[in-house]
Amino acid sequence: MRGLLKFITCGSVDDGKSTLIGHILYASKLLYTDQEQALLLDSKVGSRGGEIDYSLLLDGLMAEREQGITIDVAYRYFTTEHRSFIVADTPGHEEYTRNMAVGASFADLAVILIDATQGVLVQTRRHARICSLMGIRHFVFAINKMDLVDYDVTRFHEIEAQIRDLKESLHLKYVQLIPVSATVGDNITEKSPYTLWYEGPTLLQFLETVDVEEHMEETGFYMPVQRVCRPDLTFRGFQGQIEAGEIRIGDSIRVLPSGEEAHVSSLYIGDKAVESAEKGRPVTICLDREMDVSRGCVLVKNCDLKVASGCRATILWMDDEPFYQGKSFFVKLGTKLIPGVITQVHHTVDVNTGDPVHKETLSKNEIAECSISFVSSIVFDEFAVHKTMGELILIDRVTNMTSACGVVTAVTDEQERHILINREMRARMNIQKAVIVELPVDDLTLSLKEVREVERILAMHGRHTYLYQPKHKDPVAEIVRHLHHAGIVVLVANRYEMDLSEIAQVVPEGAYIKDLLATVSPEPEAIAEEILRITENRDTHFH
Amino acid sequence: MHHLSHLDKLEAEAIYIIREVAAECERPVMLYSIGKDSSVMLHLALKAFYPEKPPFPFLHIDTTWKFHEMIEFRDHVADSYGITMLTYTNMDGVARGINPFDHGAAYTDIMKTQALKQALDKYEFTAAFGGGRRDEEKSRAKERIFSFRNSAHAWDPKNQRPEMWKLFNTRIHKGESIRVFPLSNWTEADIWQYIRRENIEIVPLYFAKERPVVERDGNIIMVDDDRMKLLVGEKVEMRKVRFRTLGCYPLTGGVYSDADTLDAIVEETLSALESERTSRVIDHEETGSMERRKKEGYF
């Protein structure tokens, strides 16, 4: 008997996902009798006028039943003679893409339904892309509703060609096509008499026999430390799950990020002392010497993980609230939780074509390539090399929402850190551009009261400001330089007709606005309006 | 390298979840219902931290209507495993004489749901492990492993936090809490197979034995004490019965069975034709009843 297979079903709305799974459960006599009764009862008041509506098996939330759609991922469990399965049935509506991604991150294989009358749709590409992004390597494309195209082999080949393109553009590893009809039951659990031109397995046969663990081995051993076990002064063990490789008593291991080495002195799987343990096991590892190890450290053997403070990642934005520069996050990666920011959104990805789209903001369900910086160095790697060490989520520090998930595409070096906190970054976090505006204060032009009014208007519009009134002995250039690097809008009220031209020497070109009144009338409202225009950060959404 | 078995994978997943909660959550508690799923959770918690004891207390919500054998078993467990067992009863409900015979759904709400909320508030627990499994009920099938509750303990099924890979988000605001279901991906068959494999202690009520029962509304109810009033025409009979789930005795239907060993129970379960919640009287009402109760704060 093969081990557990976790798979996901996805596809566009009304492609018949829930019906397909319902059919497998029903046809395989895997329904318990009372569920079957509940199903018949529900069908009587359901949308299909008394016929059994298999989708009612899975759409478990009241809102889903009312609207006749799947909103959230549902998990179902079944076992055949050959294998145990967990299937995540996921929503097809674009609005609920993030719930679909939840199912994809859980699964080893994706069954993507395609309506034979429609062919490959935008949503098909979106789902395949997200499944691939989340690390799924095995894909089954079930060409559904074959009965509605008279089991036409030519139509099947047309769709096959579309999928071949999709496979190439998304670099999908293993792809299987099966012509089916979920409502009629063709090639689901039994071979269809109408598709004699198809010689492959039925869907269930394929799921029962596919090996998803083959060729999945990563090099070396690593275990992110979940917690330190210290019941008394004599025992100190490091607990976690082995994510790759194998460990034995006596093995020399390294602790990252410190790089210190030690030998394994004892080893437990759960509460049993063992000689060795392999990938997937929950273990407690004791070392032969005292070391500084805490949650978030990683124990490794023959495994080249990186220690760095930044990465490039492909992320899926999942928050209803859009991303804007200046949001701060907790990044969870492995067992490490660390503050971090998205320093740059390089581009978003067109779900249909995969082409980059140049924009710096992100809305729900958008995929983007971005740079992320952590507050200090952590242990991680590229997703393609060491999967678990390349998965991350971003948690909004204000709302605690899981705002995004992503996979590391590149480990970036220390240089990113210098970019992180500079004038521009601080200004972005203040959601503005940093400028210095010099305003003459005298009887003819502006009063100090009016300059204060300008500042008040700016503040009301969310600008972070500082009103500076230089005095004769002030090191003006130095003060302004510091204020500017703090990323704020500086109003310099020049009360004594001082020559402040040295400011231009210490700030970038364009940041020092000396003669705003040359183009703007000397009234607080007009001045404030112009400054608001100049300092607006167009990369940013306002709320 | 050989692959882990199905049960090994489920065990590893549950232990990972339990350790994450202990490492990240401020004040965790493990709800202990005395049933088989609780026995499995306790066993996993003991394994997860070994040789340390579980670094959180266990909490039993006592409705005062549990089977006597359950309470004996609970006290035995509290004494034998070196864990802290808290119990809580809604004394206001007791004072008002709330009981399962006369008060129906209100009983479940007051003695279970309200009692649980009161206990969680009293101890200010921020995370509570529950033994719920996704194969039990359709709304449960949609619930995350880390299931977020607002300060009124309510679940919002339409706005669940995305749960990606094993990267659980345990962050909450003050007053909010999380329910954690480490057995989410287990089925009833998995539970029994694991109990057999690990030789886990369970309440004797799971094993078939001659017990005093009456048949009421198609359910086999055990007469566990003299608070059970017989209706006209009802007769107490000694029959060989066992229980597939355990709760308050007046609300828990048994099944006629000869299965008095673990092997026999597993055998019977695997060939079972009726899923287990049919023996829980309260769930019969209507589709969506569980979801409604959970929105109101039922575990």
Side-chain angles (χ1 to χ4, degrees):
Chain A
M1 181 155 159
R2 291 205 171 267
L4 183 65
L5 179 71
K6 295 175 175 179
F7 71 100
I8 174 181
T9 55
C10 46
S12 193
V13 185
D14 293 330
D15 279 351
K17 294 172 302 296
S18 302
T19 309
L20 181 92
I21 298 310
H23 198 103
I24 290 182
L25 298 178
Y26 194 79
S28 312
K29 296 285 173 254
L30 296 163
L31 288 178
Y32 286 119
T33 49
D34 68 317
Q35 280 174 4
E36 211 169 324
Q37 276 159 12
L39 174 66
L40 287 166
L41 198 71
D42 284 345
S43 289
K44 291 202 177 106
V45 293
S47 54
R48 300 189 59 195
E51 277 179 70
I52 293 185
D53 182 352
Y54 298 112
S55 64
L56 290 175
L57 270 175
L58 294 128
D59 290 338
L61 299 177
M62 288 186 280
E64 295 179 317
R65 287 154 176 278
E66 282 158 20
Q67 297 172 46
I69 55 163
T70 307
I71 292 175
D72 213 331
V73 53
Y75 300 88
R76 288 284 143 179
Y77 304 81
F78 65 99
T79 301
T80 67
E81 277 175 58
H82 305 288
R83 198 169 209 173
S84 291
F85 299 92
I86 304 178
V87 49
D89 183 44
T90 63
H93 281 78
E94 182 173 350
E95 192 189 343
Y96 306 117
T97 299
R98 74 171 190 220
N99 293 335
M100 182 258 148
V102 168
S105 81
F106 164 88
D108 301 315
L109 176 147
V111 176
I112 298 184
L113 270 85
I114 293 177
D115 184 333
T117 66
Q118 305 269 338
V120 170
L121 301 173
V122 174
Q123 195 70 341
T124 317
R125 295 175 197 278
R126 172 187 287 272
H127 286 167
R129 186 177 300 281
I130 288 169
C131 287
S132 171
L133 176 65
M134 297 295 144
I136 293 179
R137 299 150 57 94
H138 294 261
F139 288 80
V140 177
F141 289 91
I143 316 303
N144 192 23
K145 304 191 185 176
M146 284 304 290
D147 51 324
L148 299 185
V149 295
D150 297 327
Y151 303 98
D152 179 12
V153 67
T154 318
R155 180 62 188 147
F156 183 75
H157 286 317
E158 279 168 24
I159 296 171
E160 190 171 34
Q162 294 175 343
I163 290 170
R164 206 175 304 128
D165 291 345
L166 191 63
K167 178 183 176 186
E168 268 172 38
S169 73
L170 292 180
H171 311 291
L172 307 181
K173 277 259 181 212
Y174 309 102
V175 169
Q176 172 80 29
L177 265 74
I178 305 177
V180 304
S181 167
T183 40
V184 180
D186 295 303
N187 294 327
I188 305 286
T189 56
E190 278 171 47
K191 250 184 133 39
S192 168
Y194 308 115
T195 56
L196 295 176
W197 43 266
Y198 171 72
E199 293 175 341
T202 64
L203 179 59
L204 188 60
Q205 276 170 355
F206 182 80
L207 296 176
E208 281 177 332
T209 51
V210 63
D211 185 351
V212 292
E213 290 183 66
E214 209 178 10
H215 315 300
M216 243 179 64
E217 300 303 338
E218 296 172 9
T219 55
F221 158 92
Y222 68 96
M223 185 199 84
V225 175
Q226 281 188 283
R227 66 188 296 276
V228 180
C229 175
R230 255 175 324 211
D232 55 51
L233 293 171
T234 64
F235 189 95
R236 188 171 148 87
F238 307 109
Q239 301 188 316
Q241 184 171 314
I242 300 175
E243 297 295 345
E246 193 184 25
I247 190 83
R248 312 191 140 266
I249 289 179
D251 279 354
S252 170
I253 60 145
R254 249 165 15 110
V255 179
L256 294 177
S258 75
E260 285 184 282
E261 297 197 8
H263 292 89
V264 176
S265 58
S266 61
L267 183 62
Y268 301 81
I269 295 176
D271 55 358
K272 288 187 183 57
V274 292
E275 285 293 312
S276 69
E278 79 269 48
K279 180 186 167 182
R281 291 290 190 183
V283 294
T284 302
I285 296 175
C286 300
L287 302 177
D288 63 353
R289 62 191 195 86
E290 279 285 317
M291 295 228 272
D292 181 16
V293 181
S294 56
R295 177 171 166 85
C297 293
V298 184
L299 307 185
V300 300
K301 183 184 82 178
N302 304 326
C303 182
D304 183 27
L305 298 178
K306 312 294 187 297
V307 178
S309 62
C311 70
R312 281 201 47 148
T314 308
I315 67 167
L316 172 67
W317 188 255
M318 303 188 291
D319 205 325
D320 293 329
E321 218 177 276
F323 167 75
Y324 56 85
Q325 276 296 352
K327 258 185 189 285
S328 58
F329 301 99
F330 278 112
V331 180
K332 190 163 183 186
L333 196 161
T335 56
K336 188 81 184 173
L337 188 72
I338 187 169
V341 290
I342 295 179
T343 49
Q344 198 180 348
V345 176
H346 300 285
H347 57 81
T348 60
V349 176
D350 183 309
V351 285
N352 198 17
T353 61
D355 292 338
V357 179
H358 286 278
K359 63 191 279 231
E360 296 200 352
T361 57
L362 283 174
S363 331
K364 190 164 90 169
N365 300 328
E366 278 190 314
I367 297 173
E369 184 73 18
C370 61
S371 289
I372 299 172
S373 219
F374 316 124
V375 76
S376 59
S377 290
I378 61 167
V379 186
F380 66 105
D381 205 350
E382 289 168 30
F383 181 71
V385 183
H386 290 108
K387 184 174 180 293
T388 309
M389 299 314 295
E391 301 165 346
L392 59 86
I393 56 170
L394 302 178
I395 300 168
D396 187 306
R397 289 183 73 170
V398 177
T399 64
N400 288 331
M401 172 67 182
T402 307
S403 292
C405 66
V407 299
V408 175
T409 52
V411 176
T412 48
D413 58 22
E414 289 294 302
Q415 300 212 325
E416 285 273 345
R417 294 186 74 169
H418 302 297
I419 299 166
L420 172 58
I421 305 297
N422 56 14
R423 170 184 46 83
E424 195 181 337
M425 188 61 205
R426 289 187 199 101
R428 278 183 170 182
M429 290 173 81
N430 289 339
I431 321 176
Q432 65 191 19
K433 282 186 183 142
V435 295
I436 300 114
V437 181
E438 184 183 331
L439 296 168
V441 174
D442 54 52
D443 296 343
L444 291 171
T445 38
L446 287 167
S447 67
L448 190 60
K449 198 177 159 196
E450 284 171 316
V451 176
R452 288 213 167 97
E453 175 62 11
V454 171
E455 189 183 24
R456 192 189 67 83
I457 297 171
L458 294 177
M460 294 302 286
H461 284 81
R463 294 296 187 275
H464 297 246
T465 58
Y466 186 78
L467 173 54
Y468 173 45
Q469 304 172 48
K471 301 197 176 54
H472 278 298
K473 284 185 177 167
D474 280 2
V476 174
E478 196 53 19
I479 288 170
V480 170
R481 189 176 71 84
H482 280 296
L483 289 170
H484 182 58
H485 280 256
I488 55 185
V489 176
V490 184
L491 302 178
V492 180
N494 191 350
R495 299 173 71 179
Y496 310 108
E497 294 181 45
M498 291 166 65
D499 177 11
L500 302 176
S501 57
E502 56 178 324
I503 292 173
Q505 314 291 315
V506 295
V507 299
E509 211 179 313
Y512 175 39
I513 300 160
K514 191 172 165 51
D515 44 8
L516 190 81
L517 297 183
T519 53
V520 178
S521 66
E523 280 143 19
E525 293 76 16
I527 294 169
E529 195 179 317
E530 179 63 7
I531 295 174
L532 283 172
R533 194 188 62 77
I534 295 167
T535 57
E536 184 180 352
N537 186 339
R538 285 186 197 81
D539 306 338
T540 306
H541 274 284
F542 290 94
H543 297 278
Chain B
M1 190 177 296
H2 67 278
H3 301 317
L4 265 56
S5 74
H6 178 177
L7 286 179
D8 287 337
K9 281 188 183 173
L10 291 173
E11 178 188 69
E13 180 185 70
I15 289 177
Y16 190 87
I17 292 162
I18 293 168
R19 286 174 173 172
E20 282 298 283
V21 170
E24 286 204 352
C25 297
E26 210 175 321
R27 289 177 69 84
V29 65
M30 187 169 272
L31 290 209
Y32 184 77
S33 73
I34 319 179
K36 63 183 191 306
D37 302 302
S38 283
S39 285
V40 168
M41 269 213 299
L42 167 63
H43 184 79
L44 290 165
L46 291 166
K47 276 195 173 194
F49 303 107
Y50 183 86
E52 201 179 327
K53 294 296 178 192
F56 43 73
F58 290 69
L59 171 65
H60 176 233
I61 300 299
D62 192 347
T63 60
T64 72
W65 290 91
K66 301 291 171 190
F67 290 89
H68 286 111
E69 282 180 79
M70 290 173 71
I71 300 301
E72 281 166 30
F73 184 82
R74 177 196 71 192
D75 295 342
H76 157 73
V77 163
D79 291 343
S80 320
Y81 291 94
I83 57 169
T84 306
M85 179 74 74
L86 308 171
T87 62
Y88 185 89
T89 300
N90 183 352
M91 293 316 289
D92 177 55
V94 172
R96 286 158 61 196
I98 302 297
N99 70 77
F101 297 112
D102 302 323
H103 300 104
Y107 163 77
T108 303
D109 178 56
I110 294 166
M111 298 309 288
K112 291 172 91 168
T113 309
Q114 298 305 327
L116 174 64
K117 288 193 211 174
Q118 288 166 7
L120 295 178
D121 289 342
K122 176 184 172 187
Y123 293 102
E124 296 181 336
F125 290 122
T126 57
F129 292 103
R133 295 181 299 154
R134 286 174 176 155
D135 77 330
E136 285 178 274
E137 198 268 342
K138 273 190 272 192
S139 71
R140 187 80 94 196
K142 298 255 168 178
E143 193 163 4
R144 304 276 188 260
I145 293 172
F146 283 63
S147 187
F148 183 78
R149 296 291 190 275
N150 67 16
S151 53
H153 297 282
W155 180 50
D156 180 3
K158 277 160 81 174
N159 195 26
Q160 300 195 78
R161 281 183 186 172
E163 195 161 84
M164 314 306 297
W165 300 291
K166 289 184 296 190
L167 295 171
F168 303 109
N169 175 1
T170 62
R171 299 195 63 81
I172 52 170
H173 292 295
K174 195 170 164 52
E176 297 168 342
S177 59
I178 304 175
R179 306 286 182 274
V180 185
F181 302 103
L183 306 180
S184 284
N185 288 323
W186 297 52
T187 64
E188 190 189 7
D190 298 328
I191 293 286
W192 283 115
Q193 283 169 339
Y194 188 70
I195 287 171
R196 178 169 62 175
R197 187 184 92 169
E198 304 281 308
N199 204 16
I200 297 170
E201 263 194 299
I202 50 172
V203 183
L205 289 161
Y206 285 112
F207 298 96
K209 196 180 125 180
E210 296 263 327
R211 296 189 166 95
V213 296
V214 296
E215 287 199 27
R216 182 177 290 182
D217 301 332
N219 290 298
I220 303 161
I221 305 294
M222 179 169 158
V223 183
D224 197 46
D225 60 35
D226 57 14
R227 290 179 296 177
M228 170 117 182
K229 297 158 208 137
L230 295 185
L231 303 177
V232 179
E234 278 181 346
K235 192 161 104 244
V236 181
E237 289 181 289
M238 290 301 286
R239 294 289 297 269
K240 200 158 185 190
V241 295
R242 67 178 196 87
F243 295 86
R244 291 174 60 188
T245 61
L246 292 178
C248 301
Y249 80 81
L251 298 179
T252 308
V255 290
Y256 296 123
S257 167
D258 289 319
D260 52 8
T261 63
L262 267 181
D263 282 340
I265 290 172
V266 174
E267 180 70 22
E268 206 174 85
T269 303
L270 292 180
S271 58
L273 281 170
E274 288 195 84
S275 65
E276 64 185 277
R277 272 190 177 264
T278 49
S279 58
R280 236 176 245 184
V281 180
I282 51 166
D283 277 331
H284 269 310
E285 306 151 22
E286 59 186 297
T287 301
S289 60
M290 176 69 110
E291 182 183 345
R292 197 167 296 125
R293 283 205 306 281
K294 282 161 64 99
K295 283 180 184 165
E296 290 158 6
Y298 186 76
F299 205 78

